[in-house]
Structure formats: structure tokens, C-alpha cells
Amino acid sequence: MLLRPFDPWRSRLCTCPAKLSLNPYTGCTHGCLYCYASSYIRRFSDCRPKGGINRLSSEISRLQGNELISLSNSSDPYPPMERELGITRYCISAIKRRGLRLQIVTKSDIVLRDVDLLSEMRAAVSITLTSLRLDSRLEPGAPPSSLRLRAIRMLADSGVPVAARIDPIIPGINDSEIDELVESVADAGASYVISSTYKARQDSWRRLYFAFPEVMEDLRPVYFEQGERVGGYRYLPAEIRHAILSRIREVCHEHKISFGSCREGFGSDASCDGSHLTEARKQRILR
């Protein structure tokens, strides 16, 4: 099946609403040091089209009509090859014909190509932005933060609700940018911010340690001695996580935008994943 119920590793901290996950591609070329999906998807850096995508219309036809489809939860739906292949656009078109709600999660400005479809749908876009100064080190294969901010601005100007994922926050690496990041996405037109702290797994820890050895050495006891284990991940201690998230929420409210947190055991102003924005889009279409 191409459409599968979203299952966030059976985390007891997940508060996501029920949704269906769709990944037009397997693997990703962004090369994010903190990536979680590389720990459970083989050959993750080798991005390739998902097989059998032509079955999507048939699967969609069996849905009730108000399901939420999330595109994508493990592999970015807009890798560079999407410019030529158009697989994600094909998926969006099929979802639009059925009138389903759509949530897109990406780091790519290629999403702007599809604004003609998204502006006529019950759709919302979440764009990840983790750093304004270290983006080329943390996400070496992804578009620069300047292009992502431009994408937020252009989507918002086109009437497409946009959330910014300031995620993950890694103490000592990008936590000093919290105020600047929130201000930047608010000025660009994001109406919601979703954030979380870095959850350590062996492969992502190794990549981050190689790039930021002194910071990660300082963080080692915080994660592996003082922190807690949740669903196969090492978390920061709750008091540290919640202090970081409290600060982000405070800055968001200063800029008159709402805040959500993902798999943290910390409250959200609305949905933890920003999917409520698809309903806001519904109201605009109905008017």
C-alpha cells in the first residue's frame, strides 16, 4: 500500500491526529546530520522513486473523503529529481481530485512549483528551518535557509497556510538562534511554529559528533546519563527540553503566531503537527 496509517515509532509522546502517510520517494539527498529516517530506511542517501505510484488513484478512491494525507513523513517529497519526474505533483493532483486534506512537509523550495494546485485545496505546507547560519553544515544537500524563507513568503502570499518546523533544536548548536529563527519565519508569513529537541540515535549522533565534536562531547552525559530513553531514542532531560520549548513558545507569542511541539510531552496551542491548518484552508475555500 502507498497510503499507510502514520505510525511514529509507537512513541508514547506522540499526539499527532490520525493521518495517512504517503512517500513518493524512498530516501533523501538532503544529508541532514540529525536525520532520524536514516536509521530505519536502507540506503537512505540513495533517493529513488517509490514503486507502484500509479496505484495511488485506486487507493484514494476507497477513502471516505475527509482523511488527512501527510506527504511526507520520512523522505522529502521534493528531492532535486522531482523537477524532472513530477511524481509528487502527480500525487497532489490525485489528492486534489478526491478533495482530501493534504499536509506537505519539506525543506525544499521546489514546492512553489505546485502552488497552483495547493492554493485550490484543503492543504497546508510545513517548511523546516533549523538554522540561518549553520544550515549548510547541518543540512548540506538541502536548499539554503534563504530559499526556504522565500518559499514560506510566496506560499503565504498565495493563500496557502504555512507552518515552520524549527526542528530539531540541538543545545550548543542552534539554540542560540531561537529568537532570530522565529522572527524570520513570522516575518515571512508562517502562521504556526512546530518545534522539538534533538532525539539521539547512534547514526545521527555519530554524524553530529564528527561535525561538532566539542559540543557533542559536552552533550554526551546530558543525553546518555541524565536523559531518558523513549521509543528507541535518547532524549534530553525533561526539564531541559521543556525550558527550550517554553522559550520558543514565548517568542512565538511575542510575534503573534501559535506554537506546537512534537513528541515532547509538552503542550501545543493547536495540533502538534500543524495539520489543523488544512481545516483553516477549508474555511477559506468555503467562504
Side-chain angles (χ1 to χ4, degrees):
M1 298 290 290
L2 296 167
L3 295 170
R4 298 185 179 185
F6 177 61
D7 178 14
W9 316 287
R10 298 182 176 85
S11 172
R12 59 179 172 81
L13 294 179
C14 182
T15 55
C16 280
K19 56 187 175 182
L20 296 171
S21 183
L22 171 62
N23 290 282
Y25 296 89
T26 300
C28 183
T29 57
H30 292 336
C32 303
L33 303 187
Y34 53 78
C35 180
Y36 307 130
S38 62
S39 65
Y40 59 86
I41 295 179
R42 294 177 57 191
R43 299 188 293 115
F44 189 71
S45 62
D46 176 21
C47 183
R48 60 271 191 199
K50 178 79 74 174
I53 205 72
N54 59 324
R55 300 195 307 269
L56 180 61
S57 293
S58 175
E59 291 187 22
I60 285 177
S61 68
R62 296 194 290 270
L63 300 179
Q64 297 299 310
N66 197 44
E67 288 88 349
L68 170 65
I69 295 180
S70 183
L71 196 166
S72 306
N73 292 303
S74 59
S75 302
D76 197 300
Y78 288 102
M81 68 178 69
E82 169 62 16
R83 291 187 186 276
E84 286 73 42
L85 297 182
I87 296 173
T88 292
R89 185 174 176 86
Y90 168 83
C91 294
I92 294 173
S93 297
I95 294 166
K96 180 178 183 293
R97 285 194 298 272
R98 187 68 174 85
L100 300 168
R101 292 188 297 140
L102 174 65
Q103 174 189 39
I104 291 178
V105 183
T106 184
K107 290 186 178 79
S108 177
D109 60 321
I110 300 175
V111 65
L112 291 173
R113 180 203 60 191
D114 296 331
V115 70
D116 60 322
L117 299 176
L118 298 172
S119 62
E120 298 179 349
M121 299 173 64
R122 292 188 291 165
V125 177
S126 294
I127 294 184
T128 301
L129 197 74
T130 54
S131 176
L132 300 173
R133 295 186 287 274
L134 297 172
D135 46 347
S136 62
R137 293 181 66 187
L138 286 169
E139 304 146 343
S145 57
S146 58
L147 291 183
R148 294 183 234 174
L149 286 170
R150 175 177 174 268
I152 291 174
R153 183 172 296 107
M154 295 186 71
L155 286 164
D157 288 347
S158 299
V160 179
V162 188
R165 293 195 68 101
I166 300 177
D167 168 34
I169 296 295
I170 310 171
I173 294 180
N174 65 342
D175 57 329
S176 64
E177 296 187 59
I178 286 173
D179 290 52
E180 190 177 359
L181 284 164
V182 173
E183 181 179 5
S184 295
V185 300
D187 287 348
S191 57
Y192 203 64
V193 164
I194 306 154
S195 193
S196 68
T197 57
Y198 168 63
K199 285 86 173 167
R201 289 193 69 127
Q202 184 177 6
D203 60 337
S204 62
W205 182 274
R206 184 170 57 250
R207 291 190 296 264
L208 285 165
Y209 194 98
F210 183 80
F212 304 95
E214 294 182 2
V215 174
M216 300 310 289
E217 189 60 40
D218 289 342
L219 286 177
R220 185 187 296 277
V222 184
Y223 271 94
F224 295 98
E225 297 174 17
Q226 304 163 31
E228 58 181 313
R229 190 177 186 88
V230 180
Y233 294 81
R234 298 297 311 192
Y235 276 55
L236 288 165
E239 61 271 20
I240 296 178
R241 302 198 320 264
H242 293 178
I244 292 171
L245 296 168
S246 293
R247 176 58 186 156
I248 299 173
R249 180 175 61 187
E250 177 184 345
V251 180
C252 286
H253 291 173
E254 289 174 1
H255 288 278
K256 311 301 183 187
I257 58 176
S258 301
F259 165 84
S261 65
C262 179
R263 289 186 294 133
E264 290 284 0
F266 189 84
S268 298
D269 294 334
S271 62
C272 65
D273 61 350
S275 58
H276 67 285
L277 296 176
T278 63
E279 292 293 357
R281 180 61 188 167
K282 175 184 177 182
Q283 296 303 317
R284 293 184 188 180
I285 291 174
L286 290 176
R287 286 201 296 269

